[in-house]
């Protein structure tokens, strides 16, 4: 008998819900059976439930290449350029609570790629998340030391490295500005600083292309296109910031991608050396030698064309 009563009550409630749905937009009104356990303690036999509209852009950021142990779970994937990234915010939260002083930029450094920016801090200083997201990795990584990687809801990932202490764990949901770690000098690091990287599906991105690292804490644009120029350290120098022109048009991005595929050459001038040419063009001597079938000891000729 008790089961029969609940079945009848459920049918009444369900019928009432569907009867109300066509005429209402923002809420659903449910008429409860009078004088039952459903209305006990209520001042009315009608309950109104607001409807919440889910955004079509909402995605499960853990559905693709989610790995709590591997630094780059996209390492075997290939992505077509240009990359399209969208932001819902116009600002970000500074990862440090004091004035941001960049001691090393994204670019070629000491014959190697430096795929992030270094922000000055003192060991023990608080490090916070720049945007909302979920912690994908929180552990010690060779070279990076204690590291936290947060995947944000637009697919972008932010990496915080050389930390002295991690104060979060993998799969934690994080809000922008939330304390996640203490800065430090762990891993391959010379002096206390925060190494901050931004990447999208495994492609590292020049951080200052996306964010203004002044006190304004502005996201440069809410819809941005990223070409190879902004994902390869060889196009930049760690000693200074590159001039940024943000690409907001898909057509413009496609044109730049096609141009980037054309081979680039350097014409040898009087007094040029392989070392000097490599420094000017943010490449390595080894790359110049391999690309031009020459040796480090080869003599350069004025007018000679070198493939960069």
């Amino acid at each position: 008998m008790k089961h029969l009563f609940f079945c009848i009550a459920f049918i009444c409630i369900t019928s009432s819900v569907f009867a109300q749905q066509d005429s209402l937009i923002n809420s659903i009104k449910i008429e409860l059976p009078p004088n039952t356990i459903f209305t006990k303690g209520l001042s009315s036999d009608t309950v109104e439930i607001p409807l919440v509209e889910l955004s079509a852009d909402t995605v499960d950021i853990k559905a693709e290449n989610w790995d709590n142990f591997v630094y780059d779970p996209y390492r075997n994937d290939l992505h077509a350029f240009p990359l399209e990234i969208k932001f819902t915010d116009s600002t970000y939260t500074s990862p440090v609570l004091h004035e941001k002083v960049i001691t090393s930029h994204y670019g070629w450094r000491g014959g190697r790629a430096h795929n992030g920016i270094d922000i000055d801090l003192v060991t023990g200083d608080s490090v916070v998340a720049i945007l909302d997201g979920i912690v994908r990795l929180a552990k010690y990584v060779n070279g990076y030391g204690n590291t936290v990687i947060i995947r944000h809801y637009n697919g972008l990932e932010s990496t915080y490295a050389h930390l002295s202490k991690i104060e979060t764990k993998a799969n934690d949901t994080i809000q922008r500005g939330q304390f996640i770690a203490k800065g430090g000098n762990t891993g391959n690091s010379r002096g206390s600083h925060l190494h901050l990287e931004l990447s999208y599906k495994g492609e590292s991105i020049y951080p200052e292309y996306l964010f203004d690292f002044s006190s304004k804490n502005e996201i440069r644009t809410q819809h941005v296109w990223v070409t190879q120029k902004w994902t390869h350290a060889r196009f930049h120098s760690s000693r200074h910031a590159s001039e940024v022109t943000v690409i907001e048009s898909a057509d413009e991005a496609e044109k730049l991608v096609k141009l980037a595929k054309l081979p680039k050459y350097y014409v040898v001038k009087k007094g040029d050396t392989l070392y000097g040419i490599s420094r000017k063009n943010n490449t390595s001597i080894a790359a110049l030698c391999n690309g031009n079938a020459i040796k480090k000891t080869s003599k350069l000729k004025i007018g000679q064309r070198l493939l960069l």
Side-chain angles (χ1 to χ4, degrees):
M1 195 68 181
K2 181 185 295 185
H3 292 99
L4 179 62
F5 170 80
F6 281 108
C7 289
I8 295 173
F10 177 79
I11 293 172
C12 292
I13 293 173
T14 306
S15 300
S16 177
V17 168
F18 284 104
Q20 296 285 343
Q21 278 183 320
D22 292 336
S23 60
L24 294 174
I25 297 176
N26 298 321
S27 64
I28 297 176
K29 289 183 179 180
I30 300 177
E31 294 182 4
L32 301 175
N35 302 320
T36 65
I37 60 171
F38 297 103
T39 56
K40 186 177 181 180
L42 298 177
S43 58
S44 171
D45 292 342
T46 301
V47 175
E48 186 171 353
I49 302 176
L51 293 177
V52 178
E53 183 178 355
L54 294 178
S55 169
D57 295 330
T58 301
V59 294
D60 179 7
I61 60 174
K62 298 174 69 175
E64 178 185 276
N65 295 63
W66 187 261
D67 195 311
N68 298 142
F69 303 98
V70 175
Y71 180 84
D72 180 13
Y74 295 96
R75 63 193 179 282
N76 296 322
D77 294 358
L78 295 176
H79 301 102
F81 284 91
L83 304 175
E84 180 185 14
I85 304 178
K86 297 180 180 179
F87 292 91
T88 56
D89 297 312
S90 59
T91 62
Y92 68 95
T93 299
S94 172
V96 295
L97 304 183
H98 53 268
E99 180 183 358
K100 296 184 291 296
V101 176
I102 299 177
T103 57
S104 185
H105 296 268
Y106 180 107
W108 207 251
R109 186 177 72 179
R112 301 177 64 183
H114 183 235
N115 289 326
I117 60 173
D118 293 343
I119 301 175
D120 192 31
L121 54 66
V122 175
T123 296
D125 281 354
S126 295
V127 174
V128 303
I130 58 174
L131 294 169
D132 295 345
I134 301 176
V135 177
R136 184 177 66 75
L137 181 145
K139 71 185 192 72
Y140 188 92
V141 178
N142 288 337
Y144 289 85
N146 292 325
T147 303
V148 172
I149 300 178
I150 299 175
R151 184 174 295 179
H152 307 290
Y153 294 102
N154 61 354
L156 189 74
E157 288 194 339
S158 58
T159 298
Y160 313 78
H162 304 316
L163 308 168
S164 61
K165 188 176 183 181
I166 296 173
E167 299 286 359
T168 187
K169 62 183 185 300
N171 301 312
D172 279 354
T173 298
I174 299 294
Q175 293 183 333
R176 56 180 285 183
Q178 184 172 332
F179 173 60
I180 58 171
K182 292 181 180 180
N185 187 32
T186 58
N188 184 14
S189 171
R190 298 178 181 177
S192 300
H193 68 277
L194 171 66
H195 176 78
L196 176 68
E197 291 188 10
L198 298 178
S199 61
Y200 183 77
K201 294 187 176 181
E203 296 285 352
S204 63
I205 299 175
Y206 186 86
E208 291 163 277
Y209 178 69
L210 300 179
F211 295 161
D212 177 356
F213 280 89
S214 71
S215 59
K216 296 179 180 178
N217 295 338
E218 290 180 341
I219 297 173
R220 294 194 186 276
T221 181
Q222 291 183 295
H223 192 178
V224 62
W225 295 85
V226 183
T227 59
Q228 290 98 323
K229 175 181 178 180
W230 303 105
T231 63
H232 292 290
R234 68 177 181 272
F235 295 119
H236 310 278
S237 171
S238 64
R239 293 173 298 186
H240 56 78
S242 298
E243 184 177 348
V244 171
T245 302
V246 178
I247 305 169
E248 300 182 69
S249 161
D251 290 339
E252 181 185 0
E254 291 289 352
K255 291 179 182 177
L256 292 172
V257 167
K258 290 178 181 178
L259 288 174
K261 293 180 180 179
L262 297 176
K264 294 183 179 181
Y265 293 91
Y266 179 85
V267 179
V268 177
K269 302 178 181 63
K270 184 178 180 180
D272 275 340
T273 63
L274 282 176
Y275 176 76
I277 294 171
S278 67
R279 293 292 295 272
K280 288 178 184 178
N281 295 279
N282 294 323
T283 187
S284 66
I285 295 176
L288 288 173
C289 291
N290 293 334
N292 294 278
I294 60 176
K295 298 179 180 180
K296 293 181 181 180
T297 56
S298 298
K299 291 183 178 181
L300 300 179
K301 298 179 181 180
I302 297 175
Q304 181 180 354
R305 297 177 70 202
L306 295 178
L307 177 65
L308 298 177

